[in-house]
């Protein structure tokens, strides 16, 4: 390790999301656009990422609540597809993601002569979430132990250490890479491989499997000791 003999252990945590109603809702596309302009950024994050931990729609075609609502409540397949391909991992922060959503919706509004309304019982309800974090008591002391521990992590742990971590300032990287940085450049290959995993268009179980695959391959190649 560079610069110090002391190595901080990786503290394994778990989490749950507590949904909180914002009181904001939309019944048509203009109201959805206006809500997006005003809502707290954590609501936008919840409607993109929260479904990974708390699945809300039985619709594997769409990964975010905005696309699902537009498709099922407004019956707009074209806009549903446009919103459905937006990957929040491609945006530096939530404000950039917000602007992309607004731009896509405004483009669709300009294309339409008639703007459909959802039934009153199918309004879009803007929700935000409070993350509740638990210490599991597990500690990872050496990078080589990642190979045995990662496959055993709960999906709540995967969400906290990969999804939530990427939104935390100042590093905005998953906790595994952040922890490996204390070892200097020794694990640069592993960190680069982990950085290449897109956490959005997969389930948390699939994400855990992808992490395990990368760590195992790097171990077999001698990149994790």
């Amino acid at each position: 390790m560079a610069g110090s003999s002391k190595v901080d252990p990786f503290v394994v945590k778990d989490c749950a999301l507590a949904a909180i109603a914002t009181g904001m809702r939309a019944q048509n596309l203009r109201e959805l656009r206006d809500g997006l302009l005003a809502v707290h950024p954590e609501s936008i994050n919840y409607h993109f990422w929260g479904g990974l931990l708390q699945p809300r729609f039985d619709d594997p075609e769409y990964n975010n609540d905005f696309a699902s609502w537009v498709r099922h409540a407004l019956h707009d397949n074209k806009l549903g597809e446009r919103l459905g391909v937006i990957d929040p991992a491609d945006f530096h922060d939530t404000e950039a993601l917000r602007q992309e959503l607004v731009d896509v919706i405004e483009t669709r509004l300009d294309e339409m002569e008639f703007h459909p309304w959802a039934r009153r019982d199918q309004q879009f309800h803007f929700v935000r979430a409070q993350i509740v974090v638990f210490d599991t008591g597990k500690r990872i002391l050496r990078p080589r132990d990642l190979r045995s521990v990662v496959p055993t992590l709960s999906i709540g742990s995967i969400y906290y250490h990969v999804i939530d971590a990427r939104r935390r300032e100042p590093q905005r990287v998953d906790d595994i890479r952040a922890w490996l940085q204390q070892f200097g450049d020794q694990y640069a290959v592993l960190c680069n491989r982990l950085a290449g995993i897109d956490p959005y268009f997969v389930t948390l179980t699939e994400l855990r499997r992808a992490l395990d695959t990368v760590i195992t391959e790097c171990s077999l190649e001698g990149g994790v000791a």
Side-chain angles (χ1 to χ4, degrees):
M1 193 190 79
S4 172
S5 59
K6 176 175 170 43
V7 176
D8 294 323
F10 185 99
V11 179
V12 179
K13 296 183 180 180
D14 203 338
C15 77
L17 296 180
I20 303 171
T22 67
M24 299 176 61
R25 62 189 66 183
Q27 199 168 350
N28 58 48
L29 203 51
R30 291 189 183 278
E31 292 179 355
L32 182 65
R33 186 270 316 274
D34 293 344
L36 283 168
L37 287 169
V39 77
H40 192 284
E42 283 304 313
S43 178
I44 296 174
N45 285 325
Y46 175 78
H47 288 298
F48 268 93
W49 295 106
L52 291 173
L53 195 55
Q54 295 180 329
R56 296 181 290 278
F57 287 97
D58 186 18
D59 186 355
E61 184 177 357
Y62 299 108
N63 289 67
N64 69 74
D65 294 342
F66 304 112
S68 293
W69 182 76
V70 163
R71 166 63 180 86
H72 294 290
L74 299 184
H75 308 289
D76 188 337
N77 293 348
K78 183 174 291 188
L79 181 58
E81 292 174 358
R82 293 177 185 176
L83 294 173
V85 298
I86 295 176
D87 185 346
D90 290 340
F91 297 85
H92 174 70
D93 57 30
T94 306
E95 293 309 315
L97 175 59
R98 185 203 304 269
Q99 189 59 54
E100 176 67 12
L101 289 167
V102 170
D103 289 346
V104 170
I105 290 172
E106 287 186 338
T107 296
R108 185 59 176 149
L109 284 169
D110 290 340
E111 295 172 349
M112 304 170 70
E113 294 183 7
F114 171 72
H115 300 148
W117 286 59
R119 291 165 35 188
R120 290 191 64 84
D121 62 351
Q122 291 185 328
Q123 294 179 354
F124 187 91
H125 293 262
F126 287 92
V127 176
R128 58 180 296 189
Q130 176 69 47
I131 188 168
V132 181
V133 182
F134 313 90
D135 188 336
T136 67
K138 293 181 181 179
R139 301 292 185 268
I140 303 175
L141 302 179
R142 300 162 299 183
R144 67 185 182 209
D145 295 333
L146 288 168
R147 187 174 178 183
S148 61
V149 175
V150 167
T152 72
L153 296 178
S154 70
I155 60 171
S157 291
I158 296 295
Y159 185 92
Y160 178 77
H161 289 299
V162 180
I163 305 300
D164 187 70
R166 290 189 179 206
R167 298 191 292 107
R168 293 188 222 128
E169 299 288 354
Q171 291 179 301
R172 299 181 70 88
V173 300
D174 63 81
D175 286 336
I176 297 175
R177 282 186 288 159
W179 179 66
L180 289 172
Q181 287 175 3
Q182 68 182 316
F183 297 92
D185 296 332
Q186 184 177 353
Y187 299 102
V189 173
L190 174 58
C191 287
N192 288 336
R193 292 282 304 277
L194 292 172
I197 298 174
D198 188 329
Y200 184 60
F201 289 108
V202 293
T203 66
L204 291 173
T205 300
E206 291 168 338
L207 178 56
R208 178 175 58 200
R209 189 178 304 121
L211 294 169
D212 179 43
T213 297
V214 166
I215 292 167
T216 299
E217 290 177 351
C218 285
S219 297
L220 295 175
E221 294 165 3
V224 180

